[in-house]
Amino acid sequence: MRIAGTTVLLTGATGGIGQTLARAFAAKGAKLLLTGRREEVLRPLAERLGGRVIVADLAEQSDVERLVEEAANAQILIANAALPSSGPVLDYRPEELDRALDVNLRAPILLSRLMAPRMVEAGSGHLVMIGSLSGRTASPGAALYNAAKFGLRGFTLGLRQDLHGTGVGVSLVQPGFVGDAGMFADAGTSLPTGVRTISSRRVAAATIRAIERNRAEVNVAPLELRLGSAIGGLFPSIAERAQRGAGAGETSRQLADGQRDKR
């Protein structure tokens, strides 16, 4: 699908990765509909890039439905929004579990369900879910985040098959550790020695490539992490031992501490 001249609905546009995505799609000639909870962050970004702001809380179904109506002319959805959800599940109150799953899994599903019929009718469109390599391999202190990202991967790949032949593409973009933006950068988390990161610009480039080439799944990470996540998905016991040896538990604790006030 050609991006120039299309209207793109981008969720999670207030975060670092979201802002990088917004700049990349504006540079490709897209018209932007930027959504998030913080209007004070969205407004300057929209003014710089020529986009429109739609304030919405994706944990609220009524907001998701209103967002779809206000973005009725969108031809591309980039479901990028995600709520921090690291740390042991036993530390979460039931309402925190609900909110994390609502934003990280239910909202992308509902947005896709509500937006896809118009795209199918037009015979053109693209739905992109920004997932994570955490949707391929589980890790300590990330069970809730893993649950959402594993679910998002299954939903995206299944929906892609459902929409085959309609003219509507469906893609999943799964970054590894992003060094300059996103949850690890925001929390100031130190990664284990030797673990390499990628930039948010690579995530944006992969998202554009997924749309233009109608790719099912694009994993954005150094080769060793892509191989490790593939092996870990097939052999979880091996992944467990490798992660313990690499100090993944300490990384997860740092991340959870940095996210605690944002849940």
Side-chain angles (χ1 to χ4, degrees), residues 109-198:
I109 291 174
L110 184 55
L111 283 167
S112 300
R113 168 62 186 86
L114 295 176
M115 295 181 68
R118 290 172 180 156
M119 296 180 182
V120 170
E121 184 178 357
S124 177
H126 209 101
L127 304 167
V128 183
M129 312 297 152
I130 305 297
S132 167
L133 288 186
S134 293
R136 292 171 64 86
T137 305
S139 53
L144 185 55
Y145 192 72
N146 288 142
K149 296 305 183 182
F150 268 69
L152 189 62
R153 182 171 188 255
F155 170 75
T156 305
L157 298 180
L159 180 64
R160 179 181 172 87
Q161 294 196 48
D162 289 349
L163 296 183
H164 177 74
T166 66
V168 180
V170 184
S171 299
L172 177 68
V173 176
Q174 297 189 124
F177 299 107
V178 181
D180 63 336
M183 61 183 185
F184 288 95
D186 292 345
T189 305
S190 301
L191 296 176
T193 302
V195 174
R196 295 192 293 159
T197 65
I198 56 167

Side-chain angles (χ1 to χ4, degrees), residues 12-234:
T14 56
I17 294 175
Q19 293 185 41
T20 301
L21 285 164
R23 290 191 291 270
F25 276 83
K28 292 289 289 187
K31 304 168 188 175
L32 299 176
L33 302 175
L34 305 175
T35 187
R37 289 184 295 159
R38 294 180 291 160
E39 184 174 9
E40 72 279 7
V41 178
L42 292 173
R43 189 68 61 188
L45 182 65
E47 289 173 355
R48 288 197 302 272
L49 301 178
R52 180 159 70 91
V53 169
I54 307 174
V55 177
D57 183 348
L58 297 186
E60 301 293 334
Q61 181 172 332
S62 59
D63 271 23
V64 175
E65 293 170 347
R66 174 179 56 81
L67 175 61
V68 171
E69 287 306 310
E70 293 192 32
N73 62 331
Q75 296 142 294
I76 296 173
L77 166 67
I78 305 174
N80 167 68
L83 194 67
S85 51
S86 297
V89 171
L90 299 185
D91 289 350
Y92 279 76
R93 300 189 302 273
E95 60 270 22
E96 291 176 329
L97 292 173
D98 287 342
R99 183 170 179 81
L101 291 173
D102 282 346
V103 173
N104 295 354
L105 181 58
R106 189 176 185 279
I109 291 174
L110 184 55
L111 283 167
S112 300
R113 168 62 186 86
L114 295 176
M115 295 181 68
R118 290 172 180 156
M119 296 180 182
V120 170
E121 184 178 357
S124 177
H126 209 101
L127 304 167
V128 183
M129 312 297 152
I130 305 297
S132 167
L133 288 186
S134 293
R136 292 171 64 86
T137 305
S139 53
L144 185 55
Y145 192 72
N146 288 142
K149 296 305 183 182
F150 268 69
L152 189 62
R153 182 171 188 255
F155 170 75
T156 305
L157 298 180
L159 180 64
R160 179 181 172 87
Q161 294 196 48
D162 289 349
L163 296 183
H164 177 74
T166 66
V168 180
V170 184
S171 299
L172 177 68
V173 176
Q174 297 189 124
F177 299 107
V178 181
D180 63 336
M183 61 183 185
F184 288 95
D186 292 345
T189 305
S190 301
L191 296 176
T193 302
V195 174
R196 295 192 293 159
T197 65
I198 56 167
S199 69
S200 57
R201 290 171 63 183
R202 279 190 61 186
V203 178
T207 305
I208 289 169
R209 187 166 68 251
I211 295 169
E212 292 180 335
R213 302 180 185 177
N214 192 21
R215 297 281 299 278
E217 180 177 87
V218 182
N219 298 312
V220 196
L223 177 61
E224 64 272 16
L225 283 180
R226 284 184 277 130
L227 289 175
S229 68
I231 294 169
L234 292 172

